[in-house]
Amino acid sequence: MAKLPKQAIRRIKIGQSFAEYDRSLDDPSIYVHTPALAAAEDPESSKFFFVGRRGTGKTAIRKYASLMGESVKVIVPEIFSPSSTLQDLELFTNVRQRPFRSLVSAFRRSLQIELLRLWAEAQPGHHGTPAKITRELDEFGSLDFDMRCLTFISTISEALVAGDDKRWLVENKAAGELANEMKPLASRNMRTYTLLIDSIDDYWEGSDEGLVYLTAFMHACLETSSQIPWARTILFLRENIFERVRAIDMESSRLETAVVGMEWTEKQLLEVIERRLNKNLTAKYALGGATWGAFFEKSKQAWSDVMEYCQRRPRDVLIYVSNAVEAAQLNGHERIMIEDVQQARRRFSVNRLRDLGDEYSENYPAISLLLSRFYGLGREYTLGGLESLIRKLHNDPEIVRLCGAWLFDNSSPERFIRLLYNIGFLGIRSEGKPAKFRSLGPQDTSPPPVSNATDVVIHKCYWDALDLQEALVRQLPEEKEFGKIGVIQDLPGGLDPTEYADNIDLATSELQELPLGRPGAADFEEIVGDVIKLCFFRALENVEDRSRDHEGRIIRDWIAANRAQTGFWESIRVRYDAVQVTWECKNYRDLSADDFHQVSYYMNDVVGRFIVLAFRGEMKPTYYQHIKRVATDKKGFILPITEKDLHVFLRQAKNGKVKEDHIQERYDMVLRKIS
């Protein structure tokens, strides 16, 4: 048995399980070279769509591509939650017809201009550039990606609706003509320019219009990457969203040829952990089991326990092992003992249950509440047992109020089983065979057939969080009440789930109807306060108004204690000493230099140097100059939050989403702009 250096356990830094916050990923040596990573770094690869469940490494690959690539840009589009309704969705079902092709052309042209902007940055002066490319950059290059997409969609749609064939042909051919001008640029510089499109689900509302937009966008990505030799557009997409695209796209086989799945082998998962265990050691152990064996007592049993409870995702393994390391540190062990691994199990289970509800909250709002109804019941169900559970769910007022929109469409045992199978909550067992659970990749999506002889088995990783009994449920008595689980009922102010949802609906409707300027200023301040309390209560506590008098009226801004131990708010507290977070409210569309100057006065050594500036408009290029000035002069950060962002926070909170990815992405976007 290898002997660990003294206090090696205390110095372990596994890193954050969420790639967005993981500083370890700034080190190229920490990455495991999977087929997906190889496809991302190979400029000749024909794989452009990286599809997988949450926690399978999509964001990590995006970080790696940004770290290692010379000419790379990250795009987080907001276009996939369109506020306008397409006139007739049926017209967009045929990918070869004009309506759908119009969308593809608009997206393709916008992608090409984004690539040209990236190319132009590396070609100072770019003398001899074709006239058409120069015109496109001059006219549309200054627009951000979403505004450019909307401009092109509006222009080509107007021609289509008006029946102006000549104008439509001109607009539709513009993308192809621009691509032809772009192809010869490869002879001047063979570098590959790459767009990384990520965080689609930040603004994803799951609407039919958004799905049509996304499907057209994927075709545009494929055509752009295939036809321009020096360009790649890589899209990172959650598996459940890709499944919906595949369901409506008659020619999805074209897209599937460019898909790479995020599957992981057991060997690769072990390497993920071993590289991180080795990171702080001067003399490193060998990979392939030697490192694990040095750190873990009864290493084979310990690894078996971890694999049995994880779903072959790197995030699962990182969370479980991180919990075991913390248990060993707390217990003062010089190695990670088998009891540390077992002690970590319940904490891991609670995390996984919460993360599952968060992952599918956009598809199935408040699904975490439904999953909580399994609390204290059995680990396995016959078909009849599951039918009795479904009947009880239909008689539960909270479930009907918050989950009814999708539950009633999946009320038959077969559809209910398929839903829970697809999200990875349960497996299907037939004719004495081992239970089959959903694979992580986009290829194997069909569950085994369901019959009267079928039993379903809840995955082990949820047993501890739900305190499931070792029992096969054949029937649930009508009089038996559902149990309660604290982690799911973690809501602010003692609200129950129905009251919580009602408060969010009220804040959302008031924000939609609120007048701009002074007439609605006080109400906007109240709504921002509600957003803090309803959406960020897990991290920001003791939310209090900080009132001041201005021109005869009381202006109410907000200050909250930052108590976060993990995630976005924890990183903000550490980076900006932000033990308190101030939220400044501006009920108008356009911010001025005075607004940024004013909020910078709130930054000091006592409360910290991080301010959230909520307003009703959209980001403008001039705002980044003011934020950069404050960052330089005050060593602080002002994060503008738009009205659209406030709606996203409210929608995600109502759906049960607890991950802070949207505000993290807003912060990252501003940080990139001022760096």
Side-chain angles (χ1 to χ4, degrees):
M1 180 184 72
K3 184 175 176 61
L4 285 175
K6 191 175 181 180
Q7 297 186 343
I9 296 298
R10 297 186 190 179
R11 291 179 291 154
I12 293 176
K13 292 184 179 179
I14 296 295
Q16 278 276 0
S17 55
F18 288 91
E20 300 95 310
Y21 318 128
D22 192 357
R23 295 179 182 176
S24 299
L25 295 176
D26 294 337
D27 178 2
S29 69
I30 210 74
Y31 290 85
V32 175
H33 284 261
T34 63
L37 190 69
E41 65 179 348
D42 179 8
E44 302 299 321
S45 173
S46 60
K47 302 297 185 182
F48 311 120
F49 305 123
F50 289 68
V51 177
R53 279 190 63 185
R54 194 157 139 189
T56 52
K58 298 185 298 298
T59 300
I61 289 180
R62 186 200 82 184
K63 279 198 166 188
Y64 183 83
S66 299
L67 188 66
M68 304 303 289
E70 292 185 63
S71 299
V72 177
K73 182 174 183 180
V74 177
I75 298 176
V76 179
E78 302 177 19
I79 191 71
F80 303 119
S81 60
S83 56
S84 59
T85 300
L86 298 174
Q87 290 186 342
D88 188 351
L89 282 173
E90 291 298 319
L91 296 175
F92 292 86
T93 56
N94 191 328
V95 299
R96 296 182 178 179
Q97 297 301 313
R98 282 188 174 188
F100 188 85
R101 290 305 310 169
S102 297
L103 283 177
V104 174
S105 296
F107 284 128
R108 185 179 162 194
R109 188 177 178 188
S110 191
L111 285 167
Q112 290 171 174
I113 293 175
E114 200 71 35
L115 285 161
L116 284 170
R117 289 181 61 189
L118 196 58
W119 171 83
E121 289 173 4
Q123 311 288 326
H126 42 275
H127 301 293
T129 301
K132 182 173 180 59
I133 289 178
T134 301
R135 285 196 304 271
E136 291 283 291
L137 285 173
D138 289 345
E139 190 168 355
F140 304 110
S142 61
L143 297 176
D144 76 3
F145 182 76
D146 291 294
M147 290 303 298
R148 194 183 312 122
C149 287
L150 288 174
T151 299
F152 293 148
I153 290 171
S154 176
T155 302
I156 198 169
S157 296
E158 287 173 2
L160 184 65
V161 172
D164 188 340
D165 289 350
K166 183 177 180 180
R167 184 180 167 203
W168 180 84
L169 283 171
V170 169
E171 295 296 332
N172 193 56
K173 288 183 176 182
E177 292 171 353
L178 182 59
N180 289 334
E181 297 285 345
M182 293 171 67
K183 291 175 186 178
L185 297 179
S187 61
R188 303 183 189 181
N189 190 331
M190 295 304 295
R191 181 189 303 174
T192 298
Y193 293 83
T194 305
L195 300 179
L196 305 173
I197 302 117
D198 197 11
S199 302
I200 293 293
D201 53 318
D202 263 19
Y203 287 99
W204 176 256
E205 294 181 352
S207 67
D208 292 336
E209 290 84 358
L211 189 60
V212 168
Y213 273 45
L214 178 57
T215 306
F217 183 76
M218 292 184 73
H219 280 270
C221 287
L222 181 60
E223 292 177 15
T224 300
S225 300
S226 302
Q227 296 178 17
I228 301 174
W230 52 270
R232 294 183 80 196
T233 56
I234 294 177
L235 175 65
F236 299 93
L237 193 62
R238 286 242 300 270
E239 182 184 285
N240 54 319
I241 298 177
F242 179 63
E243 283 303 307
R244 291 194 61 189
V245 170
R246 184 152 59 178
I248 71 164
D249 187 354
M250 295 184 303
E251 296 194 7
S252 62
S253 57
R254 291 188 182 185
L255 303 179
E256 289 175 17
T257 60
V259 169
V260 58
M262 304 298 296
E263 293 91 350
W264 288 77
T265 66
E266 190 170 326
K267 181 179 178 181
Q268 290 164 346
L269 292 171
L270 178 61
E271 186 179 341
V272 168
I273 296 300
E274 290 191 316
R275 286 184 177 276
R276 290 167 184 258
L277 291 173
N278 264 325
K279 183 173 174 57
N280 289 335
L281 298 181
T282 303
K284 303 186 186 305
Y285 296 99
L287 301 177
T291 302
W292 180 269
F295 279 87
F296 282 80
E297 179 211 26
K298 298 182 180 179
S299 58
K300 289 185 178 179
Q301 180 185 342
W303 181 248
S304 177
D305 286 352
V306 171
M307 283 292 96
E308 190 176 38
Y309 272 76
C310 294
Q311 292 187 317
R312 298 225 171 188
R313 294 187 290 188
R315 180 178 297 167
D316 286 8
V317 180
L318 285 170
I319 291 173
Y320 199 131
V321 173
S322 180
N323 292 344
V325 168
E326 289 179 20
Q329 292 169 339
L330 185 65
N331 294 328
H333 294 156
E334 292 300 319
R335 292 182 81 202
I336 303 167
M337 312 301 283
I338 196 66
E339 57 262 35
D340 298 323
V341 176
Q342 293 167 347
Q343 184 180 330
R345 181 177 297 166
R346 184 175 187 86
R347 185 178 168 193
F348 168 74
S349 182
V350 170
N351 181 285
R352 279 300 307 124
L353 183 63
R354 178 183 287 129
D355 198 46
L356 181 69
D358 196 29
E359 179 177 1
Y360 287 96
S361 62
E362 298 292 345
N363 298 70
Y364 309 108
I367 191 172
S368 58
L369 182 68
L370 184 143
L371 297 178
S372 75
R373 296 307 194 242
F374 284 86
Y375 181 78
L377 302 178
R379 299 172 181 175
E380 304 175 8
Y381 292 78
T382 65
L383 200 62
L386 209 60
E387 284 179 321
S388 64
L389 175 68
I390 294 170
R391 286 195 297 270
K392 287 181 66 62
L393 292 172
H394 286 178
N395 292 322
D396 185 320
E398 282 187 353
I399 294 293
V400 171
R401 162 74 172 84
L402 300 175
C403 308
W406 52 268
L407 175 61
F408 293 130
D409 290 336
N410 295 278
S411 288
S412 70
E414 294 78 13
R415 291 180 67 90
F416 191 71
I417 289 172
R418 183 182 181 91
L419 188 158
L420 296 183
Y421 174 89
N422 283 342
I423 69 173
F425 182 70
L426 56 76
I428 298 173
R429 183 176 62 205
S430 300
E431 301 175 356
K433 298 178 181 178
K436 179 185 178 184
F437 291 89
R438 169 76 183 271
S439 67
L440 292 180
Q443 306 304 322
D444 181 16
T445 59
S446 299
V450 175
S451 68
N452 289 331
T454 297
D455 294 337
V456 296
V457 181
I458 296 174
H459 196 283
K460 279 188 175 183
C461 67
Y462 307 113
W463 288 4
D464 291 271
L466 292 168
D467 286 328
L468 299 181
Q469 303 176 41
E470 190 176 348
L472 174 65
V473 178
R474 300 181 183 277
Q475 184 71 27
L476 284 175
E478 292 293 331
E479 64 275 9
K480 181 175 176 60
E481 294 185 0
F482 283 121
K484 298 294 183 182
I485 176 170
V487 65
I488 301 298
Q489 304 298 329
D490 179 22
L491 296 175
L495 298 174
D496 65 38
T498 302
E499 293 170 331
Y500 180 67
D502 289 341
N503 284 359
I504 289 176
D505 287 341
L506 179 61
T508 301
S509 62
E510 288 179 345
L511 182 57
Q512 289 172 337
E513 300 168 1
L514 195 66
L516 292 165
R518 181 168 290 189
D523 289 334
F524 182 63
E525 292 158 4
E526 288 293 338
I527 290 170
V528 171
D530 289 340
V531 169
I532 303 169
K533 297 169 188 174
L534 293 169
C535 305
F536 299 104
F537 61 90
R538 295 175 181 86
L540 304 182
E541 301 177 0
N542 299 332
V543 182
E544 298 178 356
D545 65 272
R546 182 169 65 181
S547 302
R548 66 183 192 279
D549 189 285
H550 179 69
E551 296 181 355
R553 76 177 187 90
I554 297 299
I555 296 177
R556 181 182 291 112
D557 300 314
W558 301 94
I559 188 165
N562 184 359
R563 305 285 173 77
Q565 298 300 311
T566 60
F568 170 75
W569 291 107
E570 188 258 350
S571 67
I572 291 300
R573 189 183 72 248
V574 172
R575 184 164 186 172
Y576 301 104
D577 297 320
V579 294
Q580 305 281 336
V581 177
T582 299
W583 292 64
E584 180 82 0
C585 310
K586 304 295 183 185
N587 191 42
Y588 37 78
R589 294 189 188 281
D590 300 318
L591 298 174
S592 66
D594 289 342
D595 292 321
F596 292 94
H597 189 64
Q598 172 203 335
V599 299
S600 69
Y601 279 116
Y602 299 151
M603 297 177 179
N604 56 56
D605 293 334
V606 178
V607 300
R609 294 178 170 79
F610 185 83
I611 307 288
V612 179
L613 179 56
F615 71 112
R616 301 289 299 278
E618 299 289 340
M619 289 295 293
K620 294 183 176 180
T622 54
Y623 298 169
Y624 300 113
Q625 300 171 14
H626 300 308
I627 297 169
K628 186 172 184 178
R629 174 182 54 79
V630 172
T632 302
D633 296 344
K634 294 272 194 172
K635 307 302 180 187
F637 197 92
I638 299 173
L639 179 62
I641 291 296
T642 68
E643 179 178 341
K644 183 180 286 188
D645 293 323
L646 295 174
H647 277 295
V648 170
F649 296 144
L650 289 166
R651 187 191 79 242
Q652 291 184 342
K654 182 181 178 183
N655 290 344
K657 193 176 185 69
V658 298
K659 194 178 171 216
E660 300 161 335
D661 50 357
H662 183 71
I663 195 167
Q664 175 75 49
E665 185 52 52
R666 296 292 89 192
Y667 170 77
D668 289 345
M669 182 271 291
V670 176
L671 190 62
R672 286 194 295 268
K673 292 285 187 180
I674 67 173
S675 297

